[in-house]
Amino acid sequence: DFEYFARRQLVIRAKDGQLIPFNLNKAQIYLQSRIDEQLKTSGKIRLAILKGRQQGLSTYIGGYLYHRTITRKGTLTFIFAHDADGSGSLYKMVQTYYNDGNYDDLKPALGASSQREMSFPILNSSYKVGTAGTSGLGRSKTIQQLHWSEVAYSPNCEEHAMGIMQAVPDLPNTAIFLESTSNGQGDFFHRTCMQALSGEGDFELVFIPWYWQDEYKRQKPDNWELLPEERELL
């Protein structure tokens, strides 16, 4: 039960820099429900996630895949983002889960540990990190879990779609998460979302609206009123 594991045993770095228990927010709970639904119907995860900014979706996916990596044998999880800073941030989250989590009885023995890899040799599982700007990423690997962040802003999209995404076999319990804020029409991520929306291919579209986040709301001033044309829209 990932939600239970996250709440009781993982910590995340909050926006104010403090380490706090990982309690799922509305957007994360909704994504969990979509994952559960797709696993029941197809046995694997293939999700294209169109999101707003700062909603905790990368944090959630990182924690979810980390949980699966340390509880399954022979699992290679690969994470990458549109640039080096983004990839580094994703990997630092994983390091925080490992180093600061409250679960010593479940924590696997650590093997190789660097800025690009974390391995758990007894499980024969590992984490690897890359950057979308690198050509030929992951072509020689077989990957069970893939998290590609900010796809719409990533260079070499078409090459990665034919390379690293093809490294994930079409088998039960494998996972591919493509998540991004929008960046116009016609790019790889836009096409993938539109195909998922129309029911083409394996991917399902998950839309997470920005207004689900409480911090994006503020109290209206006492003297605030709708314009006449705005009232007509209600």
Side-chain angles (χ1 to χ4, degrees):
D1 185 332
F2 172 67
E3 185 175 356
Y4 178 86
F5 177 78
R7 182 176 68 253
R8 295 290 298 272
Q9 297 173 303
L10 292 185
V11 295
I12 60 173
R13 193 169 299 280
K15 293 179 180 179
D16 63 3
Q18 300 298 311
L19 290 177
I20 60 173
F22 189 176
N23 292 301
L24 272 60
N25 63 27
K26 181 177 181 179
Q28 294 164 338
I29 291 171
Y30 175 70
L31 179 55
Q32 177 73 64
S33 70
R34 294 294 303 273
I35 291 170
D36 294 340
E37 179 183 334
Q38 193 178 46
L39 282 173
K40 286 180 181 179
T41 57
S42 71
K44 58 190 178 184
I45 302 169
R46 299 291 187 273
L47 294 178
I49 304 163
L50 178 59
K51 62 177 189 174
R53 289 185 56 79
Q54 298 292 315
Q55 294 188 282
L57 278 306
S58 294
T59 301
Y60 170 84
I61 296 169
Y64 180 80
L65 294 182
Y66 174 73
H67 178 242
R68 286 166 57 102
T69 304
I70 68 169
T71 56
R72 297 165 184 259
K73 291 184 177 181
T75 300
L76 172 56
T77 300
F78 198 94
I79 55 176
F80 71 112
H82 60 302
D83 60 19
D85 286 343
S87 298
S89 294
L90 293 176
Y91 189 54
K92 285 178 182 177
M93 283 192 292
V94 176
Q95 291 175 313
T96 298
Y97 295 143
Y98 184 84
N99 293 324
D100 298 304
N102 303 308
Y103 59 103
D104 287 342
D105 53 337
L106 293 176
K107 185 178 292 186
L110 185 63
S113 179
S114 67
Q115 294 303 309
R116 299 181 64 85
E117 180 180 6
M118 180 185 295
S119 69
F120 311 114
I122 295 176
L123 292 171
N124 193 29
S125 295
S126 63
Y127 249 96
K128 292 184 184 294
V129 62
T131 302
T134 303
S135 298
L137 201 62
R139 281 187 176 274
S140 61
K141 298 178 175 65
T142 298
I143 300 164
Q144 286 71 46
Q145 301 187 140
L146 173 65
H147 176 196
W148 183 355
S149 181
E150 293 298 355
V151 181
Y153 295 85
S154 298
N156 305 314
C157 276
E158 304 297 339
E159 182 179 349
H160 294 321
M162 295 299 294
I164 193 167
M165 284 181 58
Q166 298 299 321
V168 182
D170 187 21
L171 293 174
N173 289 317
T174 57
I176 300 177
F177 288 95
L178 307 179
E179 51 92 357
S180 186
T181 50
S182 61
N183 189 28
Q185 297 182 343
D187 59 31
F188 168 76
F189 184 67
H190 174 254
R191 297 198 309 274
T192 302
C193 288
M194 296 307 293
Q195 289 171 356
L197 189 62
S198 64
E200 300 176 19
D202 291 339
F203 280 87
E204 294 181 8
L205 177 64
V206 179
F207 176 64
I208 309 289
W210 64 267
Y211 53 80
W212 281 4
Q213 304 307 115
D214 291 336
E215 63 266 33
Y216 289 165
K217 303 174 184 177
R218 64 170 59 176
Q219 290 294 112
K220 66 179 180 64
D222 293 336
N223 61 348
W224 182 87
E225 292 184 6
L226 287 171
L227 297 172
E229 57 268 28
E230 292 172 330
R231 293 194 190 97
E232 295 177 1
L233 298 175
L234 297 179

XYZ file of all heavy atoms in Angstrom, residues 79-96 114-116 128-132 149:
199
model
N 15.116 7.345 -14.483
C 14.455 8.642 -14.387
C 15.266 9.680 -15.153
O 16.494 9.657 -15.128
C 14.272 9.094 -12.915
C 15.608 9.090 -12.158
C 13.263 8.207 -12.203
C 15.506 9.616 -10.731
N 14.576 10.557 -15.848
C 15.273 11.658 -16.493
C 14.305 12.795 -16.772
O 13.082 12.625 -16.791
C 16.011 11.203 -17.758
C 15.145 10.846 -18.935
C 15.149 11.627 -20.074
C 14.366 9.704 -18.922
C 14.384 11.279 -21.181
C 13.614 9.345 -20.024
C 13.619 10.140 -21.157
N 14.872 13.984 -16.958
C 14.089 15.193 -17.182
C 14.676 15.948 -18.364
O 15.624 15.505 -19.010
C 14.076 16.070 -15.932
N 14.109 17.115 -18.626
C 14.476 17.872 -19.822
C 15.873 18.464 -19.737
O 16.484 18.755 -20.762
C 13.451 18.978 -20.070
C 13.344 19.963 -18.942
N 13.016 19.601 -17.656
C 13.529 21.319 -18.904
C 12.996 20.679 -16.880
N 13.311 21.724 -17.604
N 16.393 18.689 -18.518
C 17.735 19.242 -18.377
C 18.416 18.638 -17.153
O 17.806 17.868 -16.396
C 17.721 20.776 -18.304
C 16.925 21.323 -17.133
O 16.673 20.574 -16.154
O 16.538 22.503 -17.179
N 19.684 18.981 -16.966
C 20.467 18.378 -15.885
C 19.918 18.752 -14.516
O 19.907 17.925 -13.591
C 21.934 18.807 -16.006
N 19.461 20.001 -14.348
C 18.913 20.413 -13.058
C 17.664 19.607 -12.714
O 17.479 19.175 -11.572
C 18.576 21.904 -13.076
C 19.810 22.786 -13.019
O 20.893 22.267 -12.646
O 19.711 23.980 -13.344
N 16.797 19.419 -13.716
C 15.589 18.653 -13.472
C 15.885 17.208 -13.123
O 15.297 16.640 -12.192
N 16.795 16.584 -13.854
C 17.168 15.200 -13.566
C 17.806 15.088 -12.185
O 17.521 14.146 -11.431
C 18.140 14.680 -14.629
O 17.537 14.670 -15.907
N 18.659 16.064 -11.854
C 19.298 16.053 -10.542
C 18.296 16.178 -9.409
O 18.418 15.517 -8.373
N 17.271 17.011 -9.602
C 16.246 17.176 -8.571
C 15.451 15.900 -8.361
O 15.135 15.519 -7.224
C 15.300 18.319 -8.960
O 15.975 19.555 -8.971
N 15.125 15.210 -9.462
C 14.403 13.946 -9.341
C 15.226 12.924 -8.559
O 14.700 12.193 -7.712
C 14.075 13.389 -10.721
C 13.082 14.166 -11.586
C 12.963 13.522 -12.965
C 11.721 14.253 -10.919
N 16.519 12.878 -8.852
C 17.371 11.896 -8.192
C 17.588 12.245 -6.718
O 17.649 11.357 -5.859
C 18.705 11.802 -8.923
C 19.578 10.667 -8.459
C 19.116 9.361 -8.431
C 20.887 10.906 -8.047
C 19.917 8.323 -8.011
C 21.710 9.867 -7.628
C 21.214 8.580 -7.613
O 22.016 7.554 -7.192
N 17.673 13.542 -6.409
C 17.825 13.948 -5.007
C 16.613 13.535 -4.179
O 16.735 13.214 -2.988
C 18.052 15.457 -4.915
C 19.455 15.890 -5.333
C 19.608 17.402 -5.277
C 21.003 17.813 -5.745
N 21.161 19.303 -5.767
N 15.430 13.554 -4.798
C 14.240 13.092 -4.093
C 14.389 11.620 -3.708
O 14.037 11.216 -2.598
C 12.996 13.289 -4.946
C 12.492 14.722 -4.994
S 10.855 14.857 -5.708
C 11.180 14.416 -7.411
N 14.894 10.818 -4.645
C 15.094 9.398 -4.361
C 16.110 9.227 -3.232
O 15.927 8.395 -2.327
C 15.557 8.656 -5.626
C 15.868 7.189 -5.314
C 14.505 8.749 -6.714
N 17.184 10.005 -3.262
C 18.182 9.920 -2.196
C 17.586 10.311 -0.848
O 17.913 9.712 0.179
C 19.367 10.821 -2.536
C 20.188 10.316 -3.723
C 21.292 11.283 -4.112
O 21.072 12.488 -4.227
N 22.496 10.747 -4.326
N 16.685 11.303 -0.848
C 16.006 11.686 0.392
C 15.129 10.552 0.900
O 15.092 10.260 2.099
C 15.152 12.948 0.170
O 15.997 14.038 -0.195
C 14.374 13.326 1.438
N 26.149 6.777 -6.502
C 26.845 7.894 -7.126
C 25.821 8.948 -7.508
O 24.656 8.865 -7.129
C 27.616 7.414 -8.361
O 26.708 7.001 -9.377
N 26.256 9.932 -8.273
C 25.345 10.973 -8.736
C 24.471 10.503 -9.891
O 23.594 11.236 -10.335
C 26.148 12.208 -9.168
C 26.876 12.886 -8.029
C 25.930 13.304 -6.905
O 24.921 13.956 -7.139
N 26.256 12.918 -5.682
N 24.679 9.284 -10.360
C 23.899 8.782 -11.486
C 23.286 7.400 -11.245
O 22.519 6.920 -12.066
C 24.786 8.714 -12.741
C 25.347 10.044 -13.188
C 26.179 9.893 -14.435
N 25.374 9.434 -15.562
C 24.673 10.244 -16.343
N 24.678 11.554 -16.113
N 23.988 9.769 -17.354
N 18.708 4.491 -11.971
C 19.666 5.209 -12.805
C 19.022 6.516 -13.240
O 17.798 6.615 -13.370
C 20.085 4.383 -14.017
C 20.912 3.148 -13.673
C 21.397 2.406 -14.912
C 22.146 1.133 -14.553
N 23.412 1.419 -13.851
N 19.866 7.516 -13.505
C 19.370 8.834 -13.874
C 20.085 9.306 -15.132
O 21.253 8.988 -15.353
C 19.569 9.836 -12.711
C 21.049 10.013 -12.385
C 18.935 11.177 -13.020
N 19.362 10.030 -15.969
C 19.944 10.590 -17.185
C 19.309 11.935 -17.484
O 18.441 12.415 -16.750
N 19.730 12.550 -18.574
C 19.206 13.841 -19.005
C 18.757 13.737 -20.445
O 19.442 13.114 -21.272
C 20.284 14.939 -18.875
O 20.715 15.005 -17.510
C 19.741 16.296 -19.292
N 17.606 14.337 -20.751
C 17.018 14.200 -22.082
C 17.908 14.769 -23.176
O 17.748 14.431 -24.349
C 15.649 14.859 -22.122
N 10.234 13.229 -17.063
C 9.627 14.446 -16.536
C 9.795 15.623 -17.492
O 10.840 15.749 -18.148
C 10.252 14.785 -15.180
O 9.675 15.943 -14.614
